Amino acid sequence: MQSARHAWPLLALLLLAGCQRGMPPVAFHADGRPPKLSDWHVVEVHDGKLQLNDGVVPYDLNTPLFTDYAHKLRTVWMPKGTTAKYHPTDTLDFPVGTVISKTFYYPRAADGKFGDVARNDDYSRDFAGQGLDLANVRLIETRILVHRKDGWAAIPYVWNDAQTEATLARTGAVLPLTLVGADNAREDFNYVVPDESQCQSCHAQDWIDRKVHPIGPKARHINKDYHYADGSANQLEHLARLGYLSGLPALTEVPRDANWEDTHATLDARARAYLDINCGHCHNANGAANTTGLTLDVGTPEDRHLGICKPPTAAGQGTGDHFFDIVPGQPDESILPYRLSSKEPGVMMPELGRSTVHREGVALIKAWIAAQPGSCVAIR
């Protein structure tokens, strides 16, 4: 079944652009690292809520990147008179001056302890009025991606305990938290806010030029409906109507990744979408992991490039003594789910961005491998 993230129209209804008219205009900082998130005036705390400024447009992804079960609020803002240009496969071509934000937060656990956060995919209590309801959620961090003349800059901010302001965290941060499940099962973990160099290592999708680029706002990831105040609309068409996107073709010509939780989609489409957003920014022909020969973006053909019967490029603890990245029909003999299931440095994949195991995601990849026909015995 689809997750509550997609099932609650209230989510989008309450995340409208132009929500907080009392804020100063959004500030584009052409250089430097402003010490406070509020220096940007993109999102700010007012009246117990995290508010969006005028012209700040929220968006969502068909399949989001997993980050320790954190919920996320994504926004984009562009200077007046500018527009992004459509691209069928790469990130939308955003103009200089664009500010993208991503706020990571958790629903508060029922026991009310500040370090306890709920492990769920239910967004129904996150919002009140025009923004995030701080009575029900705990803000963790907000990451800013700003497009300057010399390229994109990634700037992390960490929210204070009072939940009033987020401050610059160029060297990152480690926050001890406890995930509390619906069954009250508890899992202690360290939430890691990446430092600037780690942000850059993930966002440099092309390891040749090593330039930072946004990962999420690609046409295939945001080609989905969103429930706005005046009704449901496709996000790409909505951006085009606002003047934030030019060159958009008919939606029938726009690629679309599946929602990994949508059981109406094929198992293959769901698994490929999951690997695309979680792994494809490194595991692509030009990415940081291109020397592995394993490419996991959605355009990879289903052959050895995708890992099917492909031996690893290097032996060691990362293989778990398995012979191939993917063994059709045998997930427990495959390296890919082994690494996704690990929290051990040198073994776990992705290497950054999580301290916990995404159990539901691993189950999806295992089911996908179990359903694959064929065998690797003949080439072992």
Side-chain angles (χ1 to χ4, degrees):
M1 62 182 295
Q2 294 195 33
S3 72
R5 181 174 65 89
H6 296 275
W8 285 93
L10 182 63
L11 183 156
L13 178 64
L14 298 177
L15 285 179
L16 303 177
C19 293
Q20 178 58 30
R21 299 187 182 277
M23 292 187 206
V26 172
F28 165 60
H29 296 274
D31 52 36
R33 301 291 190 271
K36 298 182 297 181
L37 178 65
S38 60
D39 292 329
W40 296 90
H41 305 302
V42 173
V43 293
E44 294 181 11
V45 170
H46 294 277
D47 302 322
K49 292 173 285 189
L50 185 68
Q51 304 274 9
L52 281 66
N53 206 346
D54 287 341
V56 176
V57 181
Y59 67 94
D60 198 9
L61 308 185
N62 283 309
T63 291
L65 178 75
F66 173 74
T67 311
D68 290 330
Y69 293 98
H71 292 198
K72 299 169 187 178
L73 167 61
R74 303 169 182 84
T75 74
V76 61
W77 174 88
M78 295 176 220
K80 187 175 181 179
T82 65
T83 183
K85 296 177 182 178
Y86 173 82
H87 195 285
T89 56
D90 294 340
T91 302
L92 302 180
D93 186 5
F94 291 100
V96 170
T98 299
V99 180
I100 294 175
S101 79
K102 183 160 65 170
T103 297
F104 297 69
Y105 67 94
Y106 288 94
R108 294 181 184 269
D111 61 15
K113 294 180 181 178
F114 190 66
D116 288 1
V117 294
R119 178 188 174 277
N120 63 45
D121 199 23
D122 180 7
Y123 278 61
S124 64
R125 298 181 67 250
D126 294 358
F127 303 96
Q130 298 290 352
L132 292 177
D133 184 352
L134 301 188
N136 294 329
V137 306
R138 176 181 171 181
L139 305 175
I140 303 296
E141 60 163 321
T142 296
R143 302 177 191 175
I144 293 288
L145 275 176
V146 56
H147 195 189
R148 293 167 167 166
K149 286 186 177 180
D150 58 352
W152 289 90
I155 310 175
Y157 294 86
V158 175
W159 285 91
N160 60 17
D161 289 352
Q163 302 282 271
T164 56
E165 180 64 275
T167 56
L168 182 64
R170 298 189 67 172
T171 59
V174 178
L175 307 175
L177 298 174
T178 300
L179 285 168
V180 182
D183 57 356
N184 290 321
R186 300 172 65 86
E187 179 181 358
D188 297 331
F189 74 104
N190 287 324
Y191 182 101
V192 178
V193 178
D195 60 37
E196 285 190 351
S197 65
Q198 290 172 323
C199 291
Q200 292 168 355
S201 69
C202 280
H203 282 274
Q205 300 175 71
D206 187 329
W207 210 239
I208 298 174
D209 64 25
R210 302 201 180 192
K211 292 181 179 179
V212 170
H213 295 280
I215 295 173
K218 296 180 174 70
R220 65 182 180 271
H221 296 321
I222 62 175
N223 182 11
K224 67 184 292 284
D225 286 350
Y226 197 96
H227 297 279
Y228 298 98
D230 56 353
S232 180
N234 179 274
Q235 292 186 134
L236 292 167
E237 290 186 328
H238 182 71
L239 290 173
R241 281 195 295 271
L242 292 176
Y244 271 13
L245 180 61
S246 62
L248 178 67
L251 289 183
T252 54
E253 300 177 24
V254 179
R256 181 173 187 165
D257 267 6
N259 167 10
W260 74 281
E261 294 178 292
D262 181 6
T263 55
H264 293 96
T266 66
L267 180 60
D268 183 70
R270 293 164 59 205
R272 294 298 300 273
Y274 184 87
L275 293 173
D276 187 24
I277 192 66
N278 282 280
C279 312
H281 51 282
C282 284
H283 283 277
N284 64 72
N286 298 318
N290 64 346
T291 58
T292 66
L294 179 66
T295 52
L296 297 175
D297 56 341
V298 75
T300 303
E302 293 193 6
D303 55 18
R304 279 202 178 194
H305 293 288
L306 188 61
I308 297 174
C309 297
K310 187 190 82 63
T313 55
Q317 62 176 344
T319 68
D321 294 325
H322 301 316
F323 291 99
F324 303 106
D325 291 333
I326 293 176
V327 180
Q330 299 185 58
D332 292 337
E333 297 300 320
S334 303
I335 296 172
L336 184 60
Y338 167 74
R339 301 196 75 171
L340 290 172
S341 301
S342 177
K343 295 186 291 185
E344 187 176 339
V347 176
M348 64 181 287
M349 282 289 172
E351 295 176 312
L352 301 173
R354 70 173 178 90
S355 300
T356 61
V357 174
H358 191 198
R359 287 174 276 179
E360 297 81 0
V362 172
L364 170 67
I365 299 305
K366 284 188 171 184
W368 173 62
I369 294 174
Q372 293 178 9
S375 172
C376 299
V377 175
I379 63 172
R380 181 175 292 186

